[in-house]
Amino acid sequence: MVVPVSARLDCPLCGAVVVDGVDDIAPGACPQCGARYEGGEGSAPDAVAAALTAFGADALDPAHVTDAVFRLSPAESTACGVAITSDARDDFYRWWLFVRTGPDGDPVAVLASL
Ligand SMILES: [Zn+2]
């Protein structure tokens, strides 16, 4: 039997509700600030590693990025445009890495600046 789950994800950079009440969350972008988010793994290091691959930032060290993003204060996250957060589900959650790049932005450059 499949138990339906209701998943919700809020943008850690601007506070907007990205998705709510869905069965599962797919990578995408914040409807308010445009930050892209990738990951969706059960642990933060796994989510960062998956996100780096999705952003084309394989050259970066996932352990370094994970460590750096958790050291950011909320104000620092907003300033540099990178934040990690977990979604909310009925009985578990997954981690997502948000990167805000602007119109011509390069997520690799943003992540490499951490
Ligand atoms: Zn946002």
Side-chain angles (χ1 to χ4, degrees):
M1 177 179 133
V2 176
V3 178
V5 296
S6 178
R8 172 181 170 140
L9 179 64
D10 292 353
C11 178
L13 294 169
C14 73
V17 177
V18 178
V19 288
D20 192 10
V22 296
D23 287 344
D24 201 5
I25 296 173
C30 173
Q32 180 163 289
C33 73
R36 286 178 57 194
Y37 60 94
E38 298 281 352
E41 300 292 333
S43 78
D46 286 349
V48 169
L52 291 182
T53 299
F55 284 128
D58 288 287
L60 300 177
D61 177 13
H64 168 76
V65 174
T66 303
D67 186 60
V69 78
F70 274 108
R71 289 176 187 274
L72 296 172
S73 70
E76 289 169 338
S77 278
T78 301
C80 74
V82 181
I84 192 165
T85 191
S86 56
D87 60 27
R89 300 170 186 239
D90 289 344
D91 56 356
F92 67 107
Y93 55 85
R94 296 186 189 281
W95 291 90
W96 298 92
L97 185 68
F98 280 70
V99 179
R100 189 185 60 226
T101 59
D104 303 318
D106 176 6
V108 179
V110 174
L111 289 162
S113 71
L114 287 176

Coordinates of all heavy atoms in Angstrom, one line a residue, residues 11-16 18 30-35 98, ligand 1:
C11 N 11.5 28.4 0.3 CA 12.8 28.9 -0.1 C 13.5 29.5 1.1 O 13.0 30.4 1.7 CB 12.6 30.0 -1.2 SG 14.1 30.7 -1.8
P12 N 14.7 29.0 1.3 CA 15.5 29.6 2.5 C 16.1 30.9 2.2 O 16.5 31.6 3.1 CB 16.6 28.5 2.7 CG 16.8 27.9 1.3 CD 15.5 28.0 0.6
L13 N 16.0 31.4 1.0 CA 16.6 32.7 0.6 C 15.6 33.8 0.7 O 16.0 34.9 0.9 CB 17.3 32.6 -0.8 CG 18.5 31.6 -0.9 CD1 18.9 31.4 -2.3 CD2 19.6 32.2 -0.1
C14 N 14.4 33.5 0.4 CA 13.4 34.6 0.4 C 12.1 34.3 1.2 O 11.3 35.2 1.4 CB 13.0 35.0 -1.1 SG 11.9 33.8 -1.9
G15 N 12.0 33.0 1.6 CA 10.8 32.7 2.4 C 9.6 32.3 1.7 O 8.6 31.9 2.3
A16 N 9.6 32.3 0.4 CA 8.4 32.0 -0.4 C 8.2 30.5 -0.3 O 9.1 29.7 -0.1 CB 8.6 32.4 -1.9
V18 N 7.7 27.3 -2.1 CA 8.1 26.9 -3.4 C 7.1 25.8 -4.0 O 6.6 25.9 -5.1 CB 9.6 26.3 -3.4 CG1 10.0 25.8 -4.8 CG2 10.6 27.3 -3.0
C30 N 12.7 28.7 -7.4 CA 11.8 29.4 -6.5 C 11.0 30.4 -7.4 O 11.5 31.1 -8.2 CB 12.6 30.2 -5.5 SG 11.6 31.3 -4.5
P31 N 9.7 30.4 -7.2 CA 8.8 31.2 -8.0 C 9.0 32.7 -7.7 O 8.6 33.6 -8.5 CB 7.4 30.7 -7.7 CG 7.5 30.1 -6.3 CD 8.9 29.5 -6.3
Q32 N 9.5 33.0 -6.5 CA 9.7 34.4 -6.1 C 11.0 35.0 -6.4 O 11.1 36.1 -7.1 CB 9.4 34.6 -4.6 CG 9.5 36.0 -4.1 CD 8.8 36.2 -2.8 OE1 7.6 36.2 -2.7 NE2 9.6 36.3 -1.7
C33 N 12.1 34.3 -6.0 CA 13.4 34.9 -6.2 C 14.2 34.2 -7.3 O 15.3 34.7 -7.7 CB 14.2 34.9 -4.9 SG 14.8 33.3 -4.4
G34 N 13.7 33.1 -7.8 CA 14.3 32.5 -9.0 C 15.5 31.6 -8.6 O 16.1 31.1 -9.5
A35 N 15.8 31.4 -7.4 CA 16.9 30.6 -7.0 C 16.6 29.1 -7.5 O 15.5 28.6 -7.3 CB 17.1 30.6 -5.5
F98 N 19.9 25.4 -2.4 CA 19.4 26.6 -3.2 C 20.5 27.4 -3.7 O 21.4 27.8 -2.8 CB 18.4 27.4 -2.4 CG 17.0 26.8 -2.3 CD1 16.7 25.7 -1.6 CD2 15.9 27.5 -2.9 CE1 15.5 25.2 -1.5 CE2 14.6 27.0 -2.8 CZ 14.4 25.8 -2.1
Ligands
ZN1 ZN 13.2 32.3 -3.1

